[in-house]
Amino acid sequence: MLDWFRGEIPFLHDPIPAGRVISVEPNGEVTWECVKKIECRSSHETSIKIKSVGGDGQGRATALQIDGNLCKFLQGHNVFGIRDLNRLLLLSFRKIYQLHIEHLQGGSPPSLTEAQIKKGNYLVKMIDINQLYECGNDASVEAWLHAAEMRARSRHGRSTRDKGTLYLGKTSRRWAIKFYNKARELLAQGKTHKLPDSLQGLGLEDFIQGKLRAELRLFGKELEERHGITHGYHLTPEVIDQLFNTYLEKIDMSQQTTLIDNKLHDLPRVLQSTYQLWRQGADMRQILSHNTFYRHRRELLLHGIDINLMHQAPEHSNVVPLIRVIEAKPVAIPAWAYERGLIAA
């Protein structure tokens, strides 16, 4: 999916009254100044920033800069969404015009701008491409992130982790990738990521459990110089997929880590080690004392696990290469998301 976008759409209008930022030297000389952005807030209490740019020589702006998370602005969440940038931007422009119609007058009708957006005729300065991957449960997501923190590398160097998010190229001005536990972000107490009240209890909280989010950010310099991408018409859904996979392949994650399967996650802590060893093929009669073996066997049978039988399914081992998690089939948008109006389409 696509969510964050920064770019400029062609739209002739009177400049939005937003004020200016000015840099003044100690001697009083103005070294630079620029128009401020204003916040455009949707009904979901999510917002993006806009400002007027360019000029036609008659006091009117020639373009509208948009900077923000288009999915959250339209949907109120970015758990899932579409990868059609033209469609996202078209719907966002319509909402922006509706919310700020009093500021966007004195120029061309919005229909002309909509026609340009549909053709992809707008500048792209930065985009985020995201994908969800199924890990099974919260503990497995955290286990993956912990292992990747120690082992994942790219040409930017080793990964870094800050407040639960794993970064590669965090300070790069060209491209960066981050991984994080989407459920923990969504259920955090802060206002930034919390679901709006109107979207709570619709299934998003349950759906996001056990999901790893991978997020690629591409800046304008990287898009233009490496890929020749400057406008929306370059970014078809197929190109977006190709870009995401290309940068994901730049990460070296060939080492192995242990993911936590659902059975282990649900077991009492005293039984977890026994279950782990049994799954790895150990003969638990040789490891546990007589009494402990039968006590653990009796308790594990309540969960459908018989440690009296040797585990003969190495293909189901929960020791997997790091990369395998994100090579697996990505999580698809559930059908009920459309039925409940949770997708901007």
Side-chain angles (χ1 to χ4, degrees):
M1 62 169 283
L2 290 169
D3 57 11
W4 203 285
F5 167 84
R6 183 185 301 149
E8 299 173 7
I9 56 175
F11 181 46
L12 187 66
H13 64 283
D14 291 334
I16 299 172
R20 306 179 76 83
V21 176
I22 302 174
S23 175
V24 182
E25 295 296 321
N27 62 6
E29 179 186 357
V30 176
T31 54
W32 57 265
E33 61 179 296
C34 66
V35 177
K36 292 173 62 176
K37 297 175 183 177
I38 68 168
E39 193 175 73
C40 181
R41 186 168 292 275
S42 73
S43 57
H44 296 293
E45 292 303 307
T46 55
S47 64
I48 57 177
K49 293 184 177 180
I50 60 174
K51 76 172 182 177
S52 302
V53 294
D56 66 347
Q58 300 179 23
R60 291 177 296 186
T62 55
L64 183 69
Q65 184 185 98
I66 297 176
D67 187 2
N69 192 319
L70 302 184
C71 268
K72 289 187 79 170
F73 180 64
L74 295 169
Q75 301 174 170
H77 72 90
N78 66 338
V79 172
F80 37 64
I82 63 175
R83 54 184 177 151
D84 185 339
L85 182 56
N86 288 356
R87 183 64 179 168
L88 282 172
L89 202 51
L90 177 65
L91 295 175
S92 296
F93 173 70
R94 287 174 177 171
K95 179 167 282 193
I96 291 168
Y97 189 82
Q98 181 183 22
L99 293 170
H100 288 274
I101 189 170
E102 73 278 10
H103 295 147
L104 299 173
Q105 299 296 315
S108 59
S111 58
L112 293 181
T113 295
E114 290 188 10
Q116 294 298 312
I117 294 174
K118 290 176 182 178
K119 295 176 183 178
N121 189 22
Y122 50 86
L123 289 175
V124 178
K125 300 296 182 69
M126 188 266 282
I127 57 168
D128 281 2
I129 308 172
N130 299 335
Q131 183 60 62
L132 281 178
Y133 296 94
E134 179 65 66
C135 289
N137 52 61
D138 181 80
S140 286
V141 178
E142 291 302 306
W144 191 97
L145 289 169
H146 175 73
E149 179 184 2
M150 300 294 106
R151 299 164 181 169
R153 297 181 62 87
S154 72
R155 60 186 60 185
H156 293 308
R158 283 191 58 180
S159 61
T160 59
R161 197 172 181 189
D162 182 28
K163 297 179 180 178
T165 300
L166 182 77
Y167 296 91
L168 291 119
K170 182 178 181 180
T171 60
S172 173
R173 296 184 179 182
R174 299 189 68 105
W175 67 273
I177 291 181
K178 66 181 180 181
F179 299 92
Y180 56 95
N181 187 330
K182 186 60 181 175
R184 294 198 178 188
E185 181 198 63
L186 191 70
L187 300 177
Q189 295 300 313
K191 294 181 179 180
T192 305
H193 302 293
K194 185 180 178 182
L195 279 177
D197 293 342
S198 59
L199 298 182
Q200 293 182 20
L202 296 180
L204 292 172
E205 299 94 333
D206 293 333
F207 171 82
I208 203 61
Q209 293 297 320
K211 305 296 192 299
L212 173 73
R213 168 64 69 86
E215 182 175 297
L216 168 66
R217 172 161 289 186
L218 291 168
F219 293 93
K221 190 173 184 179
E222 181 78 0
L223 287 168
E224 182 174 2
E225 294 182 4
R226 188 170 297 277
H227 303 287
I229 294 173
T230 57
H231 288 75
Y233 48 72
H234 292 130
L235 286 167
T236 63
E238 292 74 23
V239 169
I240 289 168
D241 282 348
Q242 183 180 2
L243 285 170
F244 186 80
N245 292 329
T246 295
Y247 284 87
L248 207 62
E249 290 170 0
K250 294 179 183 288
I251 303 174
D252 178 11
M253 291 189 290
S254 59
Q255 299 296 316
Q256 291 189 332
T257 188
T258 300
L259 299 186
I260 313 302
D261 65 30
N262 286 321
K263 280 187 177 295
L264 178 62
H265 184 264
D266 295 337
L267 287 175
R269 187 174 297 275
V270 69
L271 300 176
Q272 290 183 4
S273 295
T274 297
Y275 174 69
Q276 278 278 58
L277 289 170
W278 174 77
R279 272 187 58 91
Q280 293 170 18
D283 183 353
M284 301 313 298
R285 287 180 178 273
Q286 301 299 319
I287 296 175
L288 302 176
S289 68
H290 178 85
N291 290 340
T292 301
F293 174 82
Y294 281 102
R295 185 175 71 255
H296 283 197
R297 184 192 179 209
R298 183 171 59 254
E299 295 179 16
L300 285 167
L301 281 172
L302 299 176
H303 299 272
I305 301 164
D306 188 356
I307 60 173
N308 192 44
L309 304 174
M310 291 294 292
H311 190 259
Q312 301 292 333
E315 69 276 11
H316 293 144
S317 171
N318 59 343
V319 179
V320 300
L322 285 172
I323 196 68
R324 187 179 302 170
V325 177
I326 55 177
E327 283 180 343
K329 185 178 180 181
V331 178
I333 299 174
W336 51 260
Y338 296 93
E339 298 166 0
R340 299 173 190 177
L342 297 173
I343 289 288

